[in-house]
Amino acid sequence: MTPFEYAHPRSEAEAVELMNEPGTSTAVLAGGTDLIRLLRRDLVTPQRVVNIKDIPSMQGIKPVDGGVMIGALTTLEDLAASPLMSEYHSLHHVLDGIRAIQIQSSGTVAGDLCHLPNCWYFRNGYGLLGMENGESLVETGDNRYHAIFGNRGPAKFVSASRFAPGMIAGQARVRVVGPKPDAEEWLPLEYFYITPKTNAQGVTVLKPGQLITHVWLPGTDTAQGKVQSSTYEVLQLEGLDWPLASAAVSMVVQSGVVQDARIVLGHVAPVPWISHEASRTIIGRRVTEETAAAAGEAAVASATPLSNNGYKVQLARTCVKRALLRAAGQETGGL
Amino acid sequence: MSTPDRDQNTANGTGFSRRDFIRGSGAAMAATAIATSTVEARADDKAAKPNVKPAEATEVTLTVNGKEHKLKLEPRVTLLDTLRTDLSLTGCKDVCDTANCGACTVHIDGKAVYACTRLAHDCEGKKITTVESLKDGDKVDPVVSCFVKHDASQCGFCTPGFVMAVRAFLNSKPKASLDEVRKGLGGNICRCGTYHGITECALEMAKGG
């Protein structure tokens, strides 16, 4: 690990100030489960680590504007235990799959949203794009866990966030502060992620000196009816594991017919992958085994698998189908 | 830097341990490494700011198993490295180093955490508990006895991490079901495959056995 200074601000303003001193590169530390790994391998080498964990305004969950305001530092176990979150089923489905008390007690909501890709080329020093001598190692190498959508450019990793698909389906917004002292902006979470063309661009719109402070989720009661949501993740291991693919659904059903639906796939593209094709297929129909399967089929019609990850197309197809059935309360059996 | 209590790391009671021997022979080498890093350390020409510690070693007080330790550490030092090398609390193991395997599990303020992905400076003012605290004279924590009873250990390298995970898990869910055990205790890996015994152990403890 390359030496770094250690800053421990107690307010958002102080954090932004400490993250924006000219000539000092910084990294944000919260739960640490991702950052310390990156530091250990010198994959990030900040001159200063800013520990934001003790900023009171970024903690806890509150009802705001008919929805919930989730502090960026909310841990997974606090998210799971909050009565305010009880109707957000898609997030609970994700929480159920994070099967380690060590991660549940340390991991934070924004830490998940900002988690860097688990691509093994990136984790072993070949950059986000996994390039060596101008050639993509991912394209010709072992790409079994890589992208099947949005992979025509140089980025072939998959977005690591597990909450992002469910939160984007649920139309979450994030509050970003910095780099200027009073700068604050709210943006839809779906615009937060980018597919980089160079290693330096990163995986989100966050610029150096910016951080997420809050996530806001709209309420689950709308004029059209109650929002039904779910996430379906395919995990290889029984213990702690990252999904091979996932799909999240957020929909409103009236008299048995889907009025509105947002379907977002995870771990299949460099960004959480919004499938308008799948949404279009299910809107105006009843959710049945057949229509859900048709939506799954529509979701993967434009997939472009790499040499070793064709199997993920089937996983994605099934994720969409099962997430729809789960959201509609028709879940049957296990795998 | 405090000198660790000699009795604490002399497991066999003979006053001599393998670790002491290894430490002795490595001391000369370590001294060289420290000297080099001091020379390379960047001069801190910026004005000191409150709430910012320089990259060089600064004082930090850690409360481990109820005892305070004054240490001088660089911010980059992890809790795991401090516990093992500065405090000779080698029950937490350095295995994957990437928050995956759970062998380094300790408790911070009663919650199970991976010590490999915590900075030592980040733990100042918190209550750190290691597996060594589960033994007090002849008395051991029931989780340990229950591990023995269910043969929940084979080579034993992952066991301290598992024991600490099970202890924290049962503290928060004393009546846990099998489903809850599966959802909570997946953060530790055992290469020998003793999961069955560990699950049995957790369930028996949860039933008040």
Side-chain angles (χ1 to χ4, degrees), chain A residues 65-222:
Chain A
D65 292 342
V68 284
M69 184 76 83
I70 305 169
L73 298 168
T74 305
T75 60
L76 306 188
E77 64 179 16
D78 291 342
L79 193 68
S82 170
L84 291 171
M85 300 307 297
S86 60
E87 293 301 315
Y88 295 91
H89 300 292
S90 67
L91 304 187
H92 280 279
H93 295 152
V94 173
L95 288 163
D96 278 349
I98 304 173
R99 301 176 191 139
I101 48 171
Q102 296 95 331
I103 300 291
Q104 292 160 9
S105 66
S106 302
T108 63
V109 169
D112 171 81
L113 295 178
C114 297
H115 200 289
L116 285 176
N118 291 309
C119 161
W120 43 37
Y121 296 103
F122 168 60
R123 296 278 164 178
N124 285 290
Y126 293 96
L128 279 174
L129 307 180
M131 307 282 274
E132 192 177 45
N133 303 325
E135 277 182 38
S136 169
L137 294 170
V138 188
E139 188 122 46
T140 51
D142 192 339
N143 48 40
R144 72 181 96 167
Y145 299 131
H146 289 76
I148 56 168
F149 292 103
N151 57 5
R152 288 314 203 202
K156 315 221 182 267
F157 60 83
V158 296
S159 166
S161 173
R162 292 172 79 158
F163 289 119
M167 286 186 171
I168 290 173
Q171 311 207 39
R173 301 170 80 84
V174 288
R175 179 173 177 264
V176 173
V177 297
K180 294 220 173 79
D182 296 319
E184 156 191 49
E185 89 185 284
W186 278 99
L187 77 160
L189 184 60
E190 63 179 282
Y191 301 142
F192 181 68
Y193 295 96
I194 57 165
T195 302
K197 297 264 188 323
T198 67
N199 285 321
Q201 282 173 342
V203 299
T204 71
V205 296
L206 281 186
K207 294 189 281 283
Q210 286 189 312
L211 78 156
I212 296 187
T213 62
H214 296 84
V215 179
W216 180 77
L217 280 169
T220 52
D221 286 310
T222 69

Side-chain angles (χ1 to χ4, degrees), chain A residues 147-152 265 268 273-278 280 295-305 313 317:
Chain A
I148 56 168
F149 292 103
N151 57 5
R152 288 314 203 202
L265 285 84
V268 293
W273 192 254
I274 301 172
S275 179
H276 298 292
E277 298 89 341
R280 272 199 296 272
E297 202 57 56
V300 298
S302 60
T304 51
V313 176
R317 181 189 278 130

Side-chain angles (χ1 to χ4, degrees), chain B residues 23-46:
Chain B
R23 198 203 335 269
S25 57
M29 219 155 64
T32 321
I34 290 164
T36 317
S37 75
T38 313
V39 173
E40 284 175 357
R42 289 172 301 144
D44 193 28
D45 49 4
K46 289 178 207 138

Side-chain angles (χ1 to χ4, degrees), chain A residues 9-47:
Chain A
R10 303 306 203 276
S11 70
E12 289 175 24
E14 195 189 354
V16 170
E17 187 196 327
L18 291 170
M19 288 172 67
N20 286 287
E21 256 167 52
T24 303
S25 60
T26 60
V28 174
L29 172 68
T33 51
D34 192 22
L35 182 70
I36 308 288
R37 283 167 64 190
L38 296 163
L39 290 169
R40 263 202 128 118
R41 295 208 159 190
D42 282 337
L43 294 174
V44 294
T45 51
Q47 289 160 305

Side-chain angles (χ1 to χ4, degrees), chain B:
Chain B
M1 205 175 285
S2 77
T3 315
D5 182 353
R6 202 180 160 78
D7 297 334
Q8 205 170 358
N9 58 58
T10 312
N12 55 17
T14 59
F16 182 82
S17 75
R18 180 175 61 106
R19 188 156 300 278
D20 280 346
F21 174 76
I22 295 169
R23 198 203 335 269
S25 57
M29 219 155 64
T32 321
I34 290 164
T36 317
S37 75
T38 313
V39 173
E40 284 175 357
R42 289 172 301 144
D44 193 28
D45 49 4
K46 289 178 207 138
K49 273 185 168 285
N51 293 344
V52 180
K53 293 180 177 179
E56 295 79 32
T58 51
E59 213 158 80
V60 56
T61 307
L62 297 182
T63 311
V64 185
N65 301 334
K67 215 164 131 187
E68 286 200 353
H69 299 271
K70 259 198 169 47
L71 301 163
K72 237 183 142 187
L73 301 170
E74 288 180 42
R76 63 174 166 165
V77 176
T78 61
L79 176 62
L80 175 64
D81 288 341
T82 306
L83 291 174
R84 289 182 57 83
T85 54
D86 297 317
L87 302 178
S88 292
L89 294 168
T90 53
C92 48
K93 303 297 181 206
D94 186 354
V95 179
C96 77
D97 233 5
T98 54
N100 274 305
C101 77
C104 64
T105 302
V106 299
H107 298 176
I108 296 180
D109 290 338
K111 299 200 166 164
V113 300
Y114 294 136
C116 70
T117 45
R118 279 295 161 119
L119 297 178
H121 277 266
D122 185 10
C123 301
E124 188 157 35
K126 300 196 167 88
K127 217 176 112 204
I128 303 157
T129 316
T130 70
V131 73
E132 284 83 354
S133 72
L134 299 185
K135 185 172 179 290
D136 181 16
D138 287 341
K139 278 206 330 226
V140 291
D141 190 280
V143 170
V144 179
S145 327
C146 205
F147 260 67
V148 176
K149 181 179 164 193
H150 287 282
D151 204 9
S153 168
Q154 200 170 57
C155 85
F157 210 73
C158 71
T159 310
F162 259 113
V163 168
M164 290 305 275
V166 172
R167 182 71 272 170
F169 175 75
L170 291 171
N171 287 349
S172 65
K173 288 195 170 68
K175 301 272 173 230
S177 63
L178 176 61
D179 191 45
E180 286 175 314
V181 168
R182 293 229 163 105
K183 279 178 186 161
L185 291 176
N188 294 67
I189 293 173
C190 169
R191 278 192 63 182
C192 308
T194 59
Y195 300 107
H196 180 71
I198 294 163
T199 308
E200 291 289 300
C201 164
L203 286 175
E204 183 179 313
M205 297 282 302
K207 283 189 193 120

